[in-house]
Amino acid sequence: PPPPSPPLPSPVPPPPPSPPLPSPVPPPPPPSPLPPPPSPPSPSPTVGSQPSPPPPAQSPLPPLPPLWEVLLGNGYCRQTSSTDRLAWAEQTGCLRTQEECRSSCSFRAGCTCYSYASPADIEDDYNGCREQGLGRCNIYGDEQAFATSSSNQYYQSWALRFAPSPPPPTSTLPSPSPPPPPPSPPLPSPVPPPPPSPPLPSPVPPPPPPSPL
């Protein structure tokens, strides 16, 4: 008999499925910017330290002392008599008005008196003032002037005096009213009159005399 046929080979199993490909890894996010460094803390004030006071305000300059003038009369300025000259005298030249002459004296240190001859009254021709139709001015100091010279009577002289300081202002606050007087003590209540005394009992009549036996 023919030999038996060899057994058929077993079928080869299919290869296992290949594993899935890994998903692509996303790129890392960009680094976030670093925060700014913290500012240093402000120094705390030292306990007990006082803030520096503001600089004191500059006090205003004191006002110039006010002046008032006294008409001495005709002639040059003199102290107490017609020949008693002051310590110094200056010729300020030709001026148009008395006010200009007064200003020349006011702005000159130590000036206490000035003499002025108006264009209508001037008789001399010093400095050519009369030819120019101007008056003439002289100023004097340091002493006070109370008199005038007997010559050059076409000049008039005025003395400048310092005005006295005004009195300090009085307070406008009302004076405090006096405290009210203490209340008077209450009057004592009137004492009630005593009750009337009870009537006296009527006298007991004497017993009747015994009847005769």
Side-chain angles (χ1 to χ4, degrees):
S5 59
L8 293 175
S10 60
V12 178
S18 60
L21 294 176
S23 60
V25 178
S32 60
L34 296 177
S39 58
S42 58
S44 60
T46 307
V47 177
S49 63
Q50 299 293 334
S52 58
Q58 186 177 6
S59 59
L61 296 176
L64 294 176
L67 297 176
W68 58 290
E69 61 180 9
V70 178
L71 176 62
L72 300 179
N74 290 35
Y76 293 140
C77 296
R78 294 293 184 262
Q79 290 192 55
T80 56
S81 68
S82 61
T83 58
D84 190 6
R85 297 175 180 267
L86 281 77
W88 56 264
E90 290 183 3
Q91 301 177 7
T92 60
C94 305
L95 295 177
R96 191 175 303 277
T97 63
Q98 174 201 343
E99 287 74 17
E100 293 176 346
C101 187
R102 182 195 305 122
S103 298
S104 299
C105 182
S106 300
F107 287 102
R108 172 68 162 86
C111 182
T112 59
C113 187
Y114 69 93
S115 302
Y116 179 73
S118 66
D121 299 330
I122 190 170
E123 296 180 6
D124 60 63
D125 198 20
Y126 292 116
N127 308 114
C129 298
R130 185 174 62 180
E131 293 180 358
Q132 302 175 51
L134 300 175
R136 194 166 181 275
C137 175
N138 300 323
I139 60 177
Y140 306 81
D142 291 312
E143 301 86 358
Q144 287 290 331
F146 298 93
T148 58
S149 66
S150 57
S151 60
N152 301 90
Q153 292 289 299
Y154 49 90
Y155 281 86
Q156 280 192 313
S157 295
W158 289 265
L160 297 185
R161 312 275 194 238
F162 288 106
S165 301
T170 57
S171 175
T172 56
L173 295 176
S175 59
S177 58
S184 58
L187 296 175
S189 59
V191 179
S197 58
L200 295 176
S202 59
V204 178
S211 58
L213 294 178

